[in-house]
């Protein structure tokens, strides 16, 4: 695609997922990590924080400063929902393509992001989960929804995760709702007891968010027919390793389109 290396700034470079991604970028000869954003480690070099070798990678306090100081082709957004949209829009207005790994953005956020991306002729890839097994769950669930009309989703995460449901689940709900939206045998008005116990309705799909210690990210789609049931489930372990390969793939393919795409599979070949 390009003769020169792709230049990347990672926002959230010293976080759990961001630090693993940074190490993956450093070890890939097609990519160049030029800067990082870390409010807690601003002013340091990434090698000091992560113990990496090679060319020093400076850490800045915010995306504005990082992108103004050092040119980048791609911003990889791996921070928190309260700042993510601001970071994405800032990068787009500076002519930088963006990959979003942060969950918690709303549909309204994505509408604004897509509008800005098209105005600036830039690309945004929003991925709820970079793990290949999570991508396969989504693809298999989409296939099942064509044949199995009744289903619900259980969303699992650590008890300290503030966004409910997770970005992975929201992405799946968005996809499944375009194929089929289940109808309730019993309406909410007919239920006896707290209506909330039946889960939240998102695009008319019931979602139940479980938040307990020991979970990282897991998602379960349960399809039911009379006398039979299908469960499709993805579980993440305690390390960020599963997300690195998908993150590197996203960086290498972000140049292949303009506007907004959602889901890692949107740039994969099946």
């Amino acid at each position: 695609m390009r003769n020169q290396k792709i230049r990347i700034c990672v926002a959230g470079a010293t976080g759990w997922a961001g630090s693993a991604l940074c190490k993956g970028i450093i070890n890939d000869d097609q990519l160049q990590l030029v800067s990082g954003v870390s409010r807690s480690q601003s002013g340091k070099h990434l090698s000091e924080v992560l113990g990496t070798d090679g060319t020093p990678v400076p850490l800045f306090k915010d995306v504005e400063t990082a992108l103004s100081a050092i040119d980048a082709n791609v911003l990889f957004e791996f921070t928190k929902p309260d700042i993510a949209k601001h970071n994405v829009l800032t990068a787009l207005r500076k002519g930088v393509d963006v990959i979003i790994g942060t969950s918690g953005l709303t549909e309204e956020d994505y509408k604004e992001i897509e509008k800005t991306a098209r105005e600036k002729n830039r690309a945004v890839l929003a991925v709820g989960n970079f793990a290949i097994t999570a991508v396969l769950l989504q693809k298999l669930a989409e296939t099942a929804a064509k044949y199995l009309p009744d289903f619900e989703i259980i969303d699992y995460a650590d008890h300290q995760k503030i966004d409910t449901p997770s970005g992975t689940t929201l992405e799946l709900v968005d996809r499944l709702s375009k194929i089929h939206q289940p109808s309730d045998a019993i309406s909410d008005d007919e239920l006896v007891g707290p209506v909330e116990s039946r889960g939240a309705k998102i695009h008319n799909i019931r979602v139940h968010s479980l938040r307990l210690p020991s979970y990282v990210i897991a998602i379960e789609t349960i399809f039911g027919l009379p006398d039979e049931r299908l469960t499709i489930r993805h579980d993440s372990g305690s390390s960020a390793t599963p997300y690195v390969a998908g993150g590197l793939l996203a960086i290498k393919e972000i140049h292949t389109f303009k506007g907004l795409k959602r889901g890692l599979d949107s740039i994969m070949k099946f």
Side-chain angles (χ1 to χ4, degrees):
M1 153 206 110
R2 306 180 185 208
N3 293 324
Q4 297 181 340
K5 292 185 176 184
I6 304 171
R7 296 168 59 85
I8 305 117
C9 171
V10 175
T14 59
W16 177 73
S19 58
L21 176 68
C22 285
K23 292 176 181 178
I25 294 171
I26 290 169
N27 291 324
D28 192 305
D29 59 10
Q30 297 181 46
L31 310 178
Q32 182 180 359
L33 184 62
V34 297
S35 62
V37 176
S38 173
R39 284 180 286 186
S40 63
Q41 303 294 335
S42 175
K44 297 181 180 179
H45 287 283
L46 193 64
S47 56
E48 298 177 60
V49 182
L50 303 185
T52 54
D53 298 323
T55 304
V57 177
L59 294 170
F60 297 91
K61 64 178 181 179
D62 53 45
V63 165
E64 291 92 335
T65 307
L67 296 180
S68 296
I70 302 174
D71 289 339
N73 307 121
V74 177
L75 172 73
F76 207 116
E77 164 54 42
F78 246 153
T79 62
K80 295 182 179 180
D82 60 349
I83 192 64
K85 185 177 82 167
H86 171 80
N87 289 345
V88 172
L89 295 176
T90 296
L92 291 173
R93 289 164 183 157
K94 287 182 175 290
V96 177
D97 293 330
V98 182
I99 298 164
I100 303 174
T102 304
S103 60
L105 294 176
T106 67
E107 291 303 314
E108 289 303 312
D109 292 335
Y110 279 118
K111 287 179 182 178
E112 184 177 354
I113 287 168
E114 182 173 23
K115 179 175 182 290
T116 303
R118 294 199 176 278
E119 287 174 351
K120 298 298 181 180
N121 198 33
R122 301 320 311 166
V124 177
L125 177 63
V127 178
N129 196 314
F130 289 91
I132 301 302
T133 52
V135 174
L136 291 174
L137 174 141
Q138 291 174 337
K139 297 298 287 186
L140 294 170
E142 285 180 301
T143 299
K146 296 175 182 178
Y147 301 96
L148 308 174
D150 295 314
F151 55 87
E152 299 190 14
I153 298 171
I154 305 177
D155 162 67
Y156 304 83
D158 180 80
H159 63 302
Q160 294 183 333
K161 187 173 180 63
I162 60 174
D163 50 310
T164 57
S166 68
T168 306
T169 299
L170 287 174
E171 188 175 296
L172 178 61
V173 167
D174 180 69
R175 290 164 176 269
L176 295 184
S177 69
K178 294 172 181 175
I179 297 170
H180 178 73
Q181 296 182 15
S183 57
D184 291 326
I186 300 174
S187 69
D188 286 355
D189 293 338
E190 297 175 289
L191 291 173
V192 177
V195 175
E196 295 82 3
S197 67
R198 285 290 292 118
K201 275 189 176 181
I202 307 174
H203 295 316
N204 216 46
I205 297 172
R206 291 197 183 272
V207 178
H208 310 263
S209 289
L210 183 72
R211 295 293 181 264
L212 285 173
S214 80
Y215 286 104
V216 179
I217 290 289
I219 183 170
E220 188 173 53
T221 310
I222 304 174
F223 298 85
L225 286 175
D227 292 325
E228 58 181 319
R229 183 169 58 250
L230 172 68
T231 299
I232 306 174
R233 178 172 172 134
H234 156 78
D235 281 274
S236 293
S238 59
S239 84
T241 301
Y243 310 123
V244 175
L248 299 181
L249 175 63
I251 294 169
K252 293 173 184 177
E253 295 296 322
I254 189 71
H255 74 287
T256 60
F257 67 95
K258 300 299 179 186
L260 171 70
K261 285 192 174 185
R262 297 178 70 171
L264 188 63
D265 67 300
S266 67
I267 50 93
M268 293 173 69
K269 297 178 177 63
F270 286 92

